[in-house]
Amino acid sequence: MELVLAVLVFFVVLYVASSIKIVRQGYRYTVEHFGRFTRTAEPGFHFVPPIVQRIGHKINMMEQVVDIPGQEIITRDNAMVSVDGVVFFQVLEASKAAYEVSDLYSAIMALSTTNLRTVMGSMDLDETLSKRDEINARLLSVVDSATESWGVKITRVEVKDIRPPSDIVNAMTRQMKAEREKRAAILEAEGDRQSEILRSEGQKQSQILEAEGEREAAYAEAEARIRLAEAEAKATELVSTAIAAGDAQAINYFVAQKYVEAIGKFATSPNAKTILFPVEATQLIGSLGGIGEIAKEALGDHVVKASAVGSEPTPRRGVPRVRGDKE
């Protein structure tokens, strides 16, 4: 009797122990009652009596990754490219993921592969290489709407690599090189044009400034001529006034001044070695005497005497001999 009781206690303990189920964090277990889904076991301690109930599926509720293997895809312009990618998804409803699709991973991979072919097959090669964001967005929209009934949320779809054939890569390289050379030639031509424009502008400004300088110089020269003419007119007027007043010495002063200026011009000539004057030397002395008389009247006798003493000609070596009609 005791043996039977011990065996009965053993089976009871074994039954209770096999009924205890602990669900880990990040997972959900489906509980079936005689093969029919009844509830979803959350993380923690659960009592699932054997024979009557059992654990149907253990569903991972964390975000997971499915690799899309490399696919050979023909684009709209008949270019063959090799493409691979990844799909990120997360199960939101464990019961649908367990009972709406037989193999969740295989279904997501097949669905992503076919839609990848569809999306990239409707685009040109250049678009597939430059519009990855658009490809990812279209794939995400299509695959997410298809897996919604499975209780799955597609979080991201990313194209990892797009590999065109080697001949297309070489053609693209040559095209890129030609495009860069064209842009370089355009920039160089633009630089030359700007340089010519700036050079022309500089020459223009230089000519303007030169013309303005010549104009200012002409104005200054004209002003100087006017001043000189006014001075000459004033001197002539004074001489005329002196002559009208009966002063004969003014005529001698005027003639002597012109005579001295003429002698200065002869003396500064680079070709003149000997100067011949067809006039008498006494005329020059008389003219100088007229100048002295005028100075005497203006300044006094003592200044005129000093001037006369200092103005006596002194014979010097190397001075050209002046010859007149009479010696």
Side-chain angles (χ1 to χ4, degrees):
M1 187 64 180
E2 294 179 358
L3 180 61
V4 175
L5 183 59
V7 172
L8 182 59
V9 172
F10 173 76
F11 278 106
V12 170
V13 173
L14 182 62
Y15 180 80
V16 173
S18 62
S19 300
I20 297 174
K21 303 296 182 184
I22 298 177
V23 181
R24 294 182 298 168
Q25 184 66 36
Y27 285 84
R28 300 292 187 275
Y29 292 176
T30 60
V31 180
E32 300 175 356
H33 182 75
F34 291 111
R36 183 174 62 87
F37 170 75
T38 57
R39 63 189 177 88
T40 301
E42 300 291 333
F45 176 83
H46 293 273
F47 183 77
V48 181
I51 301 173
V52 180
Q53 294 181 348
R54 73 181 187 91
I55 300 298
H57 296 82
K58 297 179 180 181
I59 306 301
N60 187 350
M61 303 298 290
M62 295 178 289
E63 188 172 4
Q64 304 173 64
V65 181
V66 174
D67 286 325
I68 302 175
Q71 304 291 322
E72 296 292 334
I73 300 175
I74 300 176
T75 60
R76 186 171 59 185
D77 52 355
N78 297 323
M80 182 73 70
V81 293
S82 179
V83 183
D84 56 5
V86 292
V87 178
F88 296 84
F89 71 96
Q90 185 176 13
V91 177
L92 300 180
E93 298 183 29
S95 58
K96 290 184 178 180
Y99 299 106
E100 295 294 336
V101 59
S102 61
D103 189 350
L104 181 61
Y105 294 96
S106 299
I108 292 177
M109 184 182 298
L111 185 62
S112 302
T113 301
T114 55
N115 283 279
L116 180 62
R117 289 177 178 273
T118 302
V119 171
M120 297 192 65
S122 62
M123 304 174 69
D124 294 333
L125 178 61
D126 293 339
E127 294 178 343
T128 59
L129 296 175
S130 60
K131 296 182 179 180
R132 290 198 179 190
D133 292 338
E134 181 180 346
I135 295 173
N136 296 335
R138 292 175 62 180
L139 284 173
L140 177 61
S141 177
V142 173
V143 177
D144 186 41
S145 61
T147 58
E148 185 177 1
S149 60
W150 302 342
V152 176
K153 173 64 178 178
I154 304 298
T155 56
R156 289 190 301 273
V157 179
E158 300 288 342
V159 176
K160 290 197 300 184
D161 193 13
I162 301 176
R163 296 180 296 276
S166 58
D167 54 345
I168 295 179
V169 173
N170 294 332
M172 292 172 62
T173 302
R174 292 194 300 270
Q175 180 182 0
M176 180 183 65
K177 182 179 179 181
E179 184 68 22
R180 292 182 180 275
E181 290 177 352
K182 182 183 74 174
R183 283 188 290 179
I186 292 173
L187 291 176
E188 185 177 358
E190 185 69 19
D192 293 339
R193 186 173 71 89
Q194 292 293 334
S195 177
E196 292 295 333
I197 291 174
L198 294 176
R199 188 180 294 109
S200 300
E201 288 292 334
Q203 293 178 357
K204 176 182 175 182
Q205 293 296 329
S206 176
Q207 293 175 359
I208 292 174
L209 294 175
E210 184 178 357
E212 291 179 354
E214 293 177 354
R215 183 183 64 182
E216 294 294 334
Y219 286 161
E221 184 178 357
E223 185 69 20
R225 290 179 180 177
I226 292 173
R227 298 296 183 187
L228 181 61
E230 290 177 353
E232 292 288 339
K234 186 66 176 179
T236 304
E237 182 182 357
L238 292 176
V239 172
S240 300
T241 302
I243 293 173
D247 189 1
Q249 297 298 329
I251 299 176
N252 295 332
Y253 168 76
F254 189 75
V255 172
Q257 180 184 7
K258 298 297 181 182
Y259 193 83
V260 171
E261 291 178 357
I263 292 175
K265 291 181 180 180
F266 278 114
T268 56
S269 176
N271 298 324
K273 299 299 182 180
T274 302
I275 303 175
L276 301 177
F277 294 98
V279 294
E280 294 181 355
T282 58
Q283 295 179 354
L284 176 59
I285 297 173
S287 299
L288 296 176
I291 297 173
E293 290 296 331
I294 295 174
K296 179 179 179 181
E297 294 178 0
L299 302 176
D301 293 340
H302 62 283
V303 176
V304 173
K305 290 179 180 181
S307 300
V309 172
S311 61
E312 292 182 357
T314 303
R316 297 179 181 179
R317 183 177 300 176
V319 179
R321 181 181 180 183
V322 181
R323 296 178 59 186
D325 291 342
K326 295 180 179 181
E327 295 181 355

